Amino acid sequence: MSTATTPARRPADDSAWAPLTSRVFRALWIVQLVSNVGGWMQTVGAQWLLVGHDAALLTLVQTAASLPVVLLALPSGVLADRHDRRAVLLAAQAAMAAVATALAVLAFAGALTPGPLLALTFLLGCGTAVMGPAWQAVQPSLVDRRQLGQVAALGAVSMNTARAVGPAIGGAVVAAAGAGWVFAFNAASFLGVALVLKRWRGPVPEGGPGGPTGGSSGGRSGGRGGAREEGLLAAVQAGRRYVRNAPGVRRVLLRTALFVPGAGALWALLPLVARRSLGLGPGGYGLLLGAVGVGAVGGAFALPALRRRLGADGTLTAGTLVLAGVLAVLATVRVPWLVGLVLLPAGVAWIVVLSTLNAAVQTRLPGWVRARALAVHLLVFQGGQAVTAPLWGVLSDGPGTTTALLAAGALLLAGAAAALRLPLHDADGVDPTPSAHWPVPPLAVEPGGADGPVLVTVVHRVAPEHRTAFAARMRRVAGSRRRTGALTWGLYQDGGEPERFVETYLVPSWTEHLAQHAGRLTAGDRRDEEAARALLLPGTVPVVTHAFDVTAGRFPVGG
């Protein structure tokens, strides 16, 4: 299998396997599948080493794995947006291989007590947190954008195929030879991913040295205000500002937040169900996890048909209701084979919800902020599990596992009811294709990248019959300005010349404003601007000026 070049884009099709026609994506998908198998083998080993302790300690395995995403998601997104994403992925794989090797050595030596186990699991989670935004952000550069739904489903197929076989293999290995061997296999699987990444040649993925909006599109923003001058804090703030002013992305995050706390109880409490309610050993627990994985793989194939039949919102609601029902069964049924059978639809529900949410956020994001916005999505998803997992453990130690499972199911039902009033925004009109349609601003004095804030003023002259419509259309332009860097925005009508409308917005620095000119604007932003400017007086054009704050002394008053 060659990964020497980036493949040409093929026409998008509807089949679940279409993205695998990309050689690079296919190679990465296969090795990631093997790595996911190793990850699930390790999960079984780590949880089973703690299953004899109290429930709160056991559920801390999930917290230790998820908490790093809460802490590192946004910095990791900045890292992936500003540097070669392949290099970021390579570094993360090497670090995780080292941590997994340490786990194996301690396990073979009989020195893996709960403290080191949770600490090393936390470090593995740090590697996952660094890798996650880069891995998700690089995928749209490998396949046709119209295949992102299939990409999300194939990612879930990989994870859940691994969930189907990894826990069963891991449970058998733990029972036969000890946990050290599952940790060793996991370390080797990371090296396999690193090998494929190392062989990958061709244009640098988006976010690398080739440019912020396309791997082979040339350099970053030119001049002294280039994107490389953007500091870490400024980059994090730019990502947050984008998400805060992107209603479609915010709605996806909200739907994720409604789903994760209750759904996460499945993973937090399933070891306790296996041991306490069903009396199973590590092999039996692995088979239960495998049942979820088998169902998830089947769900990936059913997902395109479900979306066509139910739509995105209907698919999310159906998946949530099914998972709530499964938790109720886990709370009340004590027959192992029946529990295993019920876990099949749990896998279907899990994959259809996660794939739908992931595709919904991916299709809305422009390249310059993709990794940061995906990091926020990961933060909500993993953070919800990290925070609620120990709470489910405490509830299980107190009133009992049955009560905890029923409470989680009730939380899912409440979330499904609330979601009926919070539909996903239509993504058909979203076009995140980069559009460098703003000319380079002509200035008499060349500012430095840190100079600012910059007050941008745009004067529009509007015919009397179009003024109300113009003000309405400019509200969409306001969203664009804020997403791409504006701290504040306003639109004012001149009292002396009613046809004169003055738009103002404040950008933190000249670097941020140059980024608006070269990389941050999209085809959708251009469409909104053109819709508003179509209402201007014939023969007039907007007049733009740039003014710099001089109170800090960074912009010379006297030249």
Side-chain angles (χ1 to χ4, degrees):
M1 179 188 314
S2 171
T3 58
T5 60
T6 300
R9 297 286 178 86
R10 298 172 182 266
D13 64 56
D14 236 2
S15 72
W17 301 102
L20 294 178
T21 57
S22 161
R23 287 177 293 172
V24 175
F25 180 81
R26 182 172 66 246
L28 289 171
W29 186 84
I30 290 171
V31 292
Q32 189 65 30
L33 171 61
V34 176
S35 183
N36 286 337
V37 170
W40 277 105
M41 290 173 64
Q42 168 157 315
T43 296
V44 171
Q47 289 183 325
W48 210 255
L49 285 175
L50 295 178
V51 81
H53 297 77
D54 60 63
L57 184 62
L58 173 62
T59 55
L60 284 178
V61 172
Q62 185 173 356
T63 298
S66 301
L67 185 60
V69 177
V70 179
L71 302 176
L72 300 176
L74 276 173
S76 298
V78 172
L79 189 69
D81 274 334
R82 295 178 50 173
H83 298 281
D84 180 353
R85 289 168 183 161
R86 177 176 52 208
V88 172
L89 291 169
L90 267 171
Q93 294 297 319
M96 289 190 288
V99 174
T101 299
L103 275 168
V105 169
L106 289 175
F108 286 133
L112 194 55
T113 56
L117 174 60
L118 291 173
L120 290 170
T121 300
F122 178 84
L123 291 178
L124 274 177
C126 291
T128 301
V130 171
M131 183 189 76
W135 171 242
Q136 290 199 40
V138 81
Q139 292 175 9
S141 66
L142 303 178
V143 301
D144 191 289
R145 179 175 173 268
R146 291 168 294 176
Q147 294 176 346
L148 288 178
Q150 291 103 306
V151 167
L154 281 171
V157 166
S158 172
M159 176 59 72
N160 290 288
T161 300
R163 184 181 282 127
V165 300
I169 297 172
V173 171
V174 170
W181 288 104
V182 298
F183 300 145
F185 179 87
N186 195 35
S189 73
F190 290 131
L191 295 177
V193 178
L195 179 62
V196 171
L197 288 168
K198 188 70 175 176
R199 293 180 58 203
W200 179 4
R201 294 292 182 269
V204 177
E206 293 180 10
T213 60
S216 57
S217 61
R220 291 179 180 269
S221 305
R224 295 171 60 190
R228 285 197 183 282
E229 293 185 15
E230 186 181 43
L232 174 63
L233 182 58
V236 170
Q237 289 172 339
R240 289 175 174 168
R241 191 160 51 240
Y242 180 89
V243 171
R244 187 168 61 247
N245 292 288
V249 175
R250 289 203 317 271
R251 182 58 56 87
V252 176
L253 295 178
L254 181 56
R255 293 294 295 268
T256 302
L258 289 173
F259 174 76
V260 167
L266 175 68
W267 312 114
L269 299 178
L270 192 58
L272 299 177
V273 172
R275 180 67 177 267
R276 295 181 180 179
S277 301
L278 304 178
L280 300 176
Y285 170 54
L287 290 174
L288 293 183
L289 283 174
V292 181
V294 169
V297 172
F301 292 106
L303 183 58
L306 282 173
R307 283 181 181 160
R308 285 194 297 269
R309 185 179 183 87
L310 302 177
D313 285 298
T315 300
L316 292 175
T317 300
T320 302
L321 294 177
V322 168
L323 202 52
V326 169
L327 292 176
V329 172
L330 293 180
T332 55
V333 172
R334 300 293 180 265
V335 182
W337 69 265
L338 186 54
V339 169
L341 192 63
V342 169
L343 286 173
L344 293 171
V348 175
W350 181 262
I351 194 173
V352 299
V353 172
L354 263 61
S355 297
T356 300
L357 291 170
N358 187 273
V361 73
Q362 283 265 22
T363 55
R364 288 171 164 83
L365 298 176
W368 72 270
V369 76
R370 182 179 294 126
R372 277 168 279 185
L374 288 170
V376 176
H377 184 242
L378 285 172
L379 190 155
V380 173
F381 180 77
Q382 297 284 5
Q385 294 187 79
V387 170
T388 57
L391 299 180
W392 296 128
V394 169
L395 191 60
S396 185
D397 276 337
T401 304
T402 296
T403 300
L405 288 165
L406 291 175
L411 190 60
L412 280 172
L413 292 176
L420 294 176
R421 301 179 63 86
L422 299 166
L424 296 177
H425 292 174
D426 184 12
D428 289 342
V430 176
D431 186 354
T433 306
S435 177
H437 57 277
W438 286 5
V440 176
L443 299 179
V445 179
E446 175 69 15
D451 284 337
V454 183
L455 178 65
V456 183
T457 303
V458 188
V459 176
H460 310 267
R461 294 189 177 273
V462 186
E465 65 273 17
H466 294 319
R467 290 170 189 169
T468 300
F470 175 78
R473 292 185 184 183
M474 285 298 290
R475 282 194 284 272
R476 292 186 64 86
V477 174
S480 166
R481 306 286 198 247
R482 291 189 173 110
R483 282 192 300 274
T484 57
L487 299 173
T488 62
W489 181 89
L491 182 67
Y492 306 90
Q493 186 175 18
D494 192 325
E497 299 179 65
E499 77 277 2
R500 185 172 179 268
F501 284 75
V502 181
E503 175 194 3
T504 66
Y505 58 97
L506 191 69
V507 186
S509 68
W510 187 238
T511 291
E512 288 270 355
H513 186 56
L514 281 184
Q516 290 180 306
H517 278 266
R520 290 188 179 179
L521 295 173
T522 69
D525 297 327
R526 181 172 187 167
R527 183 184 61 233
D528 291 337
E529 289 179 18
E530 290 175 345
R533 291 177 181 180
L535 303 179
L536 299 185
L537 282 170
T540 66
V541 295
V543 178
V544 184
T545 60
H546 301 79
F548 295 81
D549 177 30
V550 296
T551 58
R554 286 183 296 210
F555 193 77
V557 175

